[in-house]
Amino acid sequence: MKGVLFHLPYVMNFCTMKFVLRNSSGTKVNTMNGQEAKAFIEQLQQEGLLTEEMRPVWEMIVPERLKRMYDVLNERTRYITVLTEAVDDPHNQAAVLRSAEAFGLQDVYVVTGEAPFQPNPFVTRNADKWLTIHQKCDIQTAIHELRASGYQVLASFLGEGTIPLQAIDVSRPTALLFGNEHSGVSDEAIRLADGTFMIPMRGFVQSFNISVAAALTLYDVTERARQQAGEAYYLPFAEKKALYEKWMWQTLQPRLRDMMKARLGK
């Protein structure tokens, strides 16, 4: 759907017209006729996600795009988050972001190591565009802020006393910490964390690549947390509204976005 924009009233005037849209990979996107679009826009207005102040913006976005963002928004969570420590490889940086976004996480916390945080854009596939990335100066600061926000911090670690992935308690908000590709999480991170976990393995090799470990862990933890936490797993309305407005701005082409911001004094 990239680059496809219609003025919404124009779409709504053609109640029997169907638009065939395709996303950037060429896959057909579910479309709405004018009546369906009108009903959906009215629903978003009633819910408070579309405001009069933002009307000039959301009228520039096709209803199908608004619907896609709405569906993703309703699955978003801050109940589970990820913290990476000294993950240096741009491919791995990007792969963790892509997995986090795919499993519905909104926040990712990053502490850099020897290399800067420059995730490979060919791997992220714009996943980072939809995330809130928090870069912290050191692991102590990152863990302290997460715990102050109510998270338990659990580090991926192959060592004595660690628990299997399936034993992670998901009855409370959880931050999952993954370390450097070669040395793993630091001793300081292990000392500061609330606990450690590992992914059970049955082969000769007793380690996963950081990006694989993150994906496997997120699948298990998010599935269980969603079932156990119920409504607490999802974003409250105020956070949904702020995020939806941010995404609406981001979905506009840069030149159009700049023009609209100037028009609205943003």
Side-chain angles (χ1 to χ4, degrees):
M1 200 177 296
K2 184 177 179 181
V4 183
L5 295 170
F6 292 99
H7 193 273
L8 191 58
Y10 176 85
V11 175
M12 286 197 226
N13 284 339
F14 293 87
C15 295
T16 61
M17 192 170 190
K18 287 258 187 181
F19 295 98
V20 178
L21 302 179
R22 296 183 183 274
N23 62 22
S24 58
S25 65
T27 304
K28 184 177 178 180
V29 177
N30 291 333
T31 59
M32 301 179 187
N33 61 34
Q35 292 176 333
E36 292 168 338
K38 184 175 185 294
F40 176 65
I41 295 302
E42 289 175 350
Q43 175 191 333
L44 294 188
Q45 289 176 296
Q46 291 170 3
E47 291 183 16
L49 289 174
L50 294 184
T51 63
E52 285 302 308
E53 179 187 8
M54 288 288 289
R55 178 182 286 274
V57 176
W58 54 258
E59 284 189 341
M60 299 297 295
I61 305 171
V62 291
E64 290 83 359
R65 184 62 163 177
L66 292 172
K67 179 65 162 59
R68 176 60 177 153
M69 292 192 296
Y70 177 76
D71 291 343
V72 171
L73 182 73
N74 285 327
E75 294 294 332
R76 269 303 199 256
T77 188
R78 286 191 163 105
Y79 190 88
I80 303 296
T81 190
V82 164
L83 166 61
T84 63
E85 180 193 29
V87 176
D88 291 331
D89 184 84
H91 180 282
N92 289 333
Q93 294 172 353
V96 172
L97 295 181
R98 188 167 171 179
S99 293
E101 200 285 323
F103 288 115
L105 274 62
Q106 184 55 40
D107 294 329
V108 173
Y109 291 78
V110 175
V111 175
T112 57
E114 295 181 359
F117 182 68
Q118 294 178 340
N120 187 324
F122 294 103
V123 179
T124 60
R125 298 288 295 272
N126 286 324
D128 51 330
K129 171 182 177 180
W130 308 106
L131 295 170
T132 304
I133 299 173
H134 309 264
Q135 294 194 55
K136 301 301 176 180
C137 58
D138 55 57
I139 195 64
Q140 182 177 1
T141 299
I143 293 178
H144 174 76
E145 290 186 9
L146 285 165
R147 296 184 72 183
S149 297
Y151 289 95
Q152 64 172 342
V153 179
L154 301 178
S156 175
F157 175 66
L158 290 172
E160 187 176 351
T162 196
I163 64 173
L165 169 62
Q166 298 88 337
I168 290 178
D169 177 11
V170 295
S171 65
R172 55 183 294 198
T174 302
L176 301 162
L177 167 58
F178 299 93
N180 179 265
E181 295 90 337
H182 306 293
S183 58
V185 293
S186 66
D187 292 339
E188 182 181 18
I190 295 172
R191 178 177 61 83
L192 294 170
D194 295 293
T196 60
F197 70 93
M198 63 171 289
I199 302 172
M201 287 166 273
R202 311 297 180 211
F204 290 108
V205 176
Q206 288 296 298
S207 66
F208 286 113
N209 176 275
I210 163 63
S211 62
V212 175
L216 291 172
T217 301
L218 288 175
Y219 175 76
D220 175 81
V221 171
T222 56
E223 284 295 304
R224 291 192 291 116
R226 186 181 296 108
Q227 297 174 13
Q228 187 165 338
E231 286 302 311
Y233 182 81
Y234 302 99
L235 300 180
F237 175 75
E239 293 183 19
K240 281 186 177 182
K241 183 174 183 293
L243 192 57
Y244 199 63
E245 290 189 359
K246 178 182 177 183
W247 288 355
M248 285 193 289
W249 281 113
Q250 288 181 174
T251 203
L252 299 179
Q253 294 291 340
R255 290 182 62 183
L256 179 59
R257 181 168 60 242
D258 292 343
M259 180 185 73
M260 297 303 296
K261 284 188 174 183
R263 174 181 169 184
L264 298 178
K266 297 290 186 179

